[in-house]
């Protein structure tokens, strides 16, 4: 279930009090598709979840926290669940950051995702502010 976190207070409460794994860092993504122009708030986030579940056959949306270009924030996959956002590690164990853990990036990094293609679009000030704030809060907890 996707939860819209309407403000910094709700985001802070979610990141600090939700049952969680002991994350070692954050893996930051952007969707590319849908783009900023295609973004329709909660409807877009639910569409990403639907694709992850129905097309990719994952049990939930792959990201833990999603950020809309309008500055809205959405809680996706529960914080105590391994993500499905970073793919499999294919490097040899000697050079992998997660030797012996083929799903290490998903196991060890909380998945943040900004909706939009930031290879071509500039992120909004509102979104950048909320992402920065989420990083600060995660730094407090993890």
């Amino acid at each position: 279930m996707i939860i819209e976190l309407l403000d910094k207070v709700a985001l802070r409460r979610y990141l600090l009090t939700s049952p969680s794994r002991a994350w070692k860092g954050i893996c930051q993504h952007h969707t590319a598709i849908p783009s900023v122009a295609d973004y329709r708030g909660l409807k877009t986030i639910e569409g990403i979840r639907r694709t992850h579940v129905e097309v990719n056959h994952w049990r939930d949306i792959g990201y833990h926290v999603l950020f809309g270009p309008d500055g809205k924030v959405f809680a996706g996959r529960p914080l105590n669940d391994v993500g499905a956002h970073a793919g499999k590690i294919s490097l040899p164990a000697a050079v992998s950051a997660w030797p012996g853990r083929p799903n290490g990036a998903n196991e060890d990094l909380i998945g943040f995702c900004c909706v939009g293609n930031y290879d071509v679009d500039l992120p909004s000030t509102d979104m950048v502010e909320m992402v920065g704030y989420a990083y600060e809060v995660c730094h407090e907890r993890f």
Side-chain angles (χ1 to χ4, degrees):
M1 177 173 74
I2 303 296
I3 302 167
E4 186 172 347
L5 304 170
L6 299 173
D7 57 24
K8 286 183 175 180
V9 172
L11 175 59
R12 180 178 184 78
R13 182 174 37 248
Y14 176 73
L15 291 172
L16 290 179
T17 64
S18 295
S20 179
R21 300 174 59 80
W23 299 108
K24 295 179 181 174
I26 298 168
C27 189
Q28 181 68 59
H29 302 272
H30 69 116
T31 59
I33 298 171
S35 68
V36 170
D38 297 327
Y39 175 73
R40 300 292 181 266
L42 182 59
K43 182 177 178 181
T44 298
I45 305 303
E46 288 171 339
I48 294 169
R49 182 184 185 280
R50 199 169 29 260
T51 298
H52 286 186
V53 172
E54 295 173 10
V55 176
N56 296 355
H57 304 289
W58 299 341
R59 86 184 148 68
D60 201 350
I61 193 167
Y63 310 110
H64 297 96
V65 182
L66 297 96
F67 301 87
D70 56 0
K72 290 184 180 175
V73 183
F74 303 88
R77 184 175 286 237
L79 294 180
N80 59 345
D81 286 355
V82 171
H85 54 83
K88 301 285 184 186
I89 300 297
S90 59
L91 299 173
V95 295
S96 173
W98 301 277
R101 297 183 74 181
N103 201 26
N106 285 320
E107 291 179 26
D108 294 336
L109 303 176
I110 187 171
F112 280 10
C113 187
C114 295
V115 177
N117 184 350
Y118 298 104
D119 289 335
V120 295
D121 293 318
L122 289 175
S124 70
T125 302
D126 291 338
M127 185 178 69
V128 169
E129 181 180 324
M130 291 304 280
V131 172
Y133 182 73
Y135 271 73
E136 290 173 17
V137 174
C138 284
H139 182 71
E140 288 178 38
R141 181 169 185 183
F142 309 113

